Amino acid sequence: MRLLTTTILAAAALPAYAADRELTVFDWAGFEEPSIFQAYVDKHGDSPTYAFYGDDDEAFQKVASGFKADVIHPCSQMVGKYRDAGLIEPWDTSRIPNFEQIEERFLDSEVFRDDQGVWFIPTDWGATAIAYNTETVPAEDVASLNVFTNPKYQGRTSLPDSSDDVWALAYLATGVTDWSEVTDEQFQAAAAWLREAHVNVAAYWADPSEQAQLMASGAVDVAWSWNDGVVYLQADNYPVGFQREPAEGSSTFFCGYVNVKDGPGSEDKAYDFINAWLEPSAAKALLDTIGYGHTSAAAMATIADEPAVAEGLAEIDAPVLAQTPNDPELRQRQLAEFEKIKAGF
């Protein structure tokens, strides 16, 4: 079963998908689908070698501890951490013809682009919202994020084992829609809400395939989910809804690739890989396999009329907390507090 296989690969966080030995991509499980970077396969006859991780902080720790890769796929909040640690170098955008097609909103930060160069090539984006079993969970129950604290669902919910996503949920649930400036009072309110939500959690999912497996098995009815978990469930004909418009709102995120300093493989192939990702044709493959949107305006234009765009990526009539780079000290505080909450403290 694809879901189970992907989960096993993600847990390994090793070069579990060996192919072209001259390029190692450290990535989230699921992104090894060749159709997303088909131009690379067409040119070189094979996919890169892939190693997988389950969350951004895990990936950073492995690379900081000496794991060797050529490119890594962090989400926007992590780019500054890689920069500060001296682990990455700027991209040469003169070698990336479709760079100008990336929507400006995905590059609007000095963390990504400054007078030293472009440190981050945004490639994909998605939503984090409520996935739920439409046969067992009434629509009115997911009209609020407080479904995650509703005693009715004790032992029937799942949250991501991702500090960024759970804090986005907790801030939204307590009335915060911008995490660029969070007061201590707001932090404490969100932490208290998370502790209340923890009581209902059957499991914290490590990757979208695990979240989909938890729901498909009947272990949980409600999850705080990325688009891909919903796509996997739909592929298995599971009765899943994706509520992006609860009263308090939902979240968005975007991710992309960084160029590892002194990577062991071919720098030319790293650019071939990025250029393949930025081909407009990549958008359809990305949407079909994972449910995400593309950062390229030209690429998004090719899928504008797809039903999956309307369902999981369209603008919504509810608050949105955008997971953009935030204060590193706050992020570290959130990570430490989340570990306490998971441990029951």
Side-chain angles (χ1 to χ4, degrees):
M1 185 175 181
R2 182 181 187 277
L3 300 181
L4 181 58
T5 302
T6 306
T7 301
I8 293 170
L9 291 178
L14 293 170
Y17 189 97
D20 187 337
R21 295 180 179 276
E22 293 185 340
L23 184 69
T24 298
V25 179
F26 198 22
D27 215 326
W28 308 86
F31 284 93
E32 74 278 13
E33 168 57 47
S35 60
I36 300 174
F37 47 88
Q38 189 63 49
Y40 183 95
V41 178
D42 293 344
K43 183 172 182 177
H44 297 290
D46 211 344
S47 296
T49 289
Y50 273 84
F52 301 105
Y53 54 86
D55 68 73
D56 264 325
D57 291 291
E58 172 199 345
F60 175 82
Q61 290 302 326
K62 286 184 179 295
V63 175
S65 298
F67 180 80
K68 298 297 184 183
D70 298 300
V71 295
I72 311 170
H73 192 181
C75 292
S76 64
Q77 311 90 285
M78 289 296 293
V79 178
K81 199 165 183 177
Y82 281 100
R83 283 192 62 176
D84 291 345
L87 294 171
I88 61 175
E89 61 187 10
W91 292 96
D92 178 358
T93 57
S94 71
R95 301 180 64 181
I96 306 175
N98 283 325
F99 176 76
E100 297 302 325
Q101 293 292 334
I102 296 173
E103 292 189 50
E104 183 62 29
R105 64 190 174 102
F106 295 114
L107 289 163
D108 188 22
S109 171
E110 290 187 357
V111 175
F112 308 149
R113 178 175 58 183
D114 61 14
D115 56 8
Q116 297 179 61
V118 174
W119 298 85
F120 178 57
I121 304 296
T123 51
D124 54 284
W125 62 276
T128 313
I130 306 171
Y132 66 102
N133 185 327
T134 57
E135 294 181 352
T136 61
V137 180
E140 56 267 27
D141 285 4
V142 292
S144 169
L145 294 178
N146 287 326
V147 66
F148 291 104
T149 59
N150 186 337
K152 178 179 176 181
Y153 296 101
Q154 185 168 352
R156 306 295 301 169
T157 72
S158 183
L159 298 179
D161 193 5
S162 161
S163 176
D164 291 321
D165 285 294
V166 296
W167 282 94
L169 168 62
Y171 285 134
L172 282 165
T174 52
V176 176
T177 58
D178 180 356
W179 69 7
S180 62
E181 293 186 17
V182 175
T183 67
D184 183 65
E185 182 180 4
Q186 290 169 329
F187 175 87
Q188 296 298 344
W193 189 91
L194 269 182
R195 285 185 166 84
E196 189 177 352
H198 174 76
V199 174
N200 283 2
V201 172
Y204 288 91
W205 55 265
D207 69 88
S209 58
E210 181 182 358
Q211 176 242 309
Q213 189 84 338
L214 285 165
M215 296 188 74
S217 70
V220 302
D221 295 314
V222 181
W224 189 234
S225 173
W226 303 331
N227 303 73
D228 30 357
V230 175
V231 169
Y232 297 160
L233 288 163
Q234 290 172 335
D236 282 355
N237 297 312
Y238 179 87
V240 61
F242 194 43
Q243 169 60 291
R244 296 180 60 216
E245 296 183 314
E248 303 87 353
S250 57
S251 185
T252 60
F253 59 87
F254 64 97
C255 311
Y257 288 90
V258 292
N259 190 3
V260 179
K261 186 183 294 184
D262 301 322
S266 166
E267 186 79 351
D268 289 340
K269 287 188 175 182
Y271 281 92
D272 289 341
F273 178 74
I274 289 299
N275 285 326
W277 251 96
L278 293 179
E279 287 288 334
S281 58
K284 174 66 172 168
L286 181 63
L287 182 70
D288 287 349
T289 59
I290 304 179
Y292 286 8
H294 204 288
T295 57
S296 161
M300 283 300 293
T302 69
I303 58 171
D305 297 329
E306 293 282 339
V309 172
E311 178 185 5
L313 299 170
E315 290 188 14
I316 61 173
D317 186 20
V320 173
L321 188 151
Q323 295 187 39
T324 53
N326 56 352
D327 182 349
E329 290 186 8
L330 172 63
R331 193 174 183 280
Q332 191 59 38
R333 185 183 183 193
Q334 290 171 175
L335 182 62
E337 193 73 8
F338 181 43
E339 292 302 315
K340 292 179 185 176
I341 292 168
K342 287 190 296 180
F345 296 106

